[in-house]
Amino acid sequence: KNEVEQSPQNLTAQEGEFITINCSYSVGISALHWLQQHPGGGIVSLFMLSSGKKKHGRLIATINIQEKHSSLHITASHPRDSAVYICAALSGSRLTFGEGTQLTVNP
Amino acid sequence: NAGVTQTPKFQVLKTGQSMTLQCAQDMNHNSMYWYRQDPGMGLRLIYYSASEGTTDKGEVPNGYNVSRLNKREFSLRLESAAPSQTSVYFCASNRGALNTEAFFGQGTRLTVV
């Protein structure tokens, strides 16, 4: 069992839909990262959070430390949101990555 | 301000050849990392350098060596490439303190034939 698991692995949505990607981890962490990887391959950091909730534009990330679970929500999804979304758990100085969720938003 | 720059972006090697992947960051970050990304797996840490002058093994260090040349640069060397090293390689950096954002290079797609 991976230390960091994401679901779903693949997600297809219609433009405008509300999207949720889930991340569960089995280790104690000091922070959780959400990253976005576009088809060109580059990886950018979306959020880093250790408690509660963060919002940036149409993206919202939440974390429940007790349940070892985090979610990434996208409101009013758009085709340009199509990408792989990766969560990564920071434990000590070590980042452990989930396998990623491939999101496709159709117009 | 370029962030994290990796070279090359693409490379094809024959089994047994050697090569060095270069990584440089201009954010005055203390820590630098090399990861590989393979289908069906999350990014896996090959080596990291917590600060200038130090390097440590990650999850999958076999077949690789690294050099932290200075604070800006962290290179990854494959001495004798093997097909199992076909992967996409990412360099990353951060300030080094806990809970700090990581910045990634654009990746190097390496194929070993």
Side-chain angles (χ1 to χ4, degrees):
Chain A
K1 182 171 165 58
N2 292 337
E3 291 181 346
V4 178
E5 294 204 336
Q6 288 184 236
S7 63
Q9 284 188 317
N10 294 283
L11 181 56
T12 300
Q14 289 300 123
E15 184 172 356
E17 286 185 0
F18 180 84
I19 287 162
T20 296
I21 299 170
N22 296 300
C23 177
S24 297
Y25 52 91
S26 58
V27 296
I29 69 166
S30 56
L32 187 123
H33 295 247
W34 280 102
L35 309 165
Q36 181 191 56
Q37 185 173 25
H38 272 284
I43 298 173
V44 296
S45 177
L46 297 174
F47 294 103
M48 182 181 63
L49 65 166
S50 53
S51 65
K53 175 176 162 179
K54 284 191 176 180
K55 185 175 189 289
H56 185 251
R58 295 181 294 106
L59 301 178
I60 303 165
T62 64
I63 189 167
N64 184 319
I65 297 293
Q66 287 74 27
E67 295 187 2
K68 292 188 166 63
H69 181 268
S70 176
S71 293
L72 176 69
H73 306 285
I74 305 175
T75 61
S77 60
H78 190 276
R80 65 175 174 267
D81 297 325
S82 298
V84 176
Y85 292 84
I86 302 169
C87 71
L90 178 64
S91 180
S93 58
R94 182 183 164 208
L95 263 179
T96 303
F97 292 82
E99 292 179 21
T101 296
Q102 172 70 63
L103 171 66
T104 303
V105 182
N106 294 318
Chain B
N1 192 342
V4 179
T5 304
Q6 272 182 250
T7 55
K9 290 188 178 175
F10 301 94
Q11 183 72 50
V12 178
L13 290 178
K14 293 183 179 178
T15 297
Q17 285 186 317
S18 62
M19 78 161 294
T20 300
L21 281 66
Q22 307 287 353
C23 176
Q25 50 88 13
D26 60 3
M27 296 171 282
N28 202 35
H29 284 168
N30 291 314
S31 298
M32 298 184 73
Y33 309 83
W34 276 105
Y35 295 94
R36 59 178 288 172
Q37 185 179 39
D38 300 293
M41 293 183 162
L43 286 137
R44 292 181 294 167
L45 182 64
I46 304 171
Y47 271 94
Y48 68 100
S49 170
S51 61
E52 186 179 356
T54 69
T55 61
D56 287 286
K57 294 179 181 179
E59 297 174 68
V60 287
N62 291 344
Y64 305 96
N65 284 299
V66 290
S67 295
R68 184 74 183 265
L69 303 168
N70 47 55
K71 193 169 187 179
R72 289 188 66 247
E73 298 172 288
F74 187 40
S75 62
L76 178 72
R77 183 158 178 85
L78 287 69
E79 289 290 353
S80 179
S84 61
Q85 294 176 304
T86 294
S87 187
V88 181
Y89 292 84
F90 286 94
C91 177
S93 72
N94 68 6
R95 286 207 313 267
L98 294 178
N99 299 353
T100 60
E101 183 181 358
F103 294 82
F104 287 81
Q106 287 295 305
T108 297
R109 187 172 293 275
L110 174 66
T111 302
V112 183
V113 298

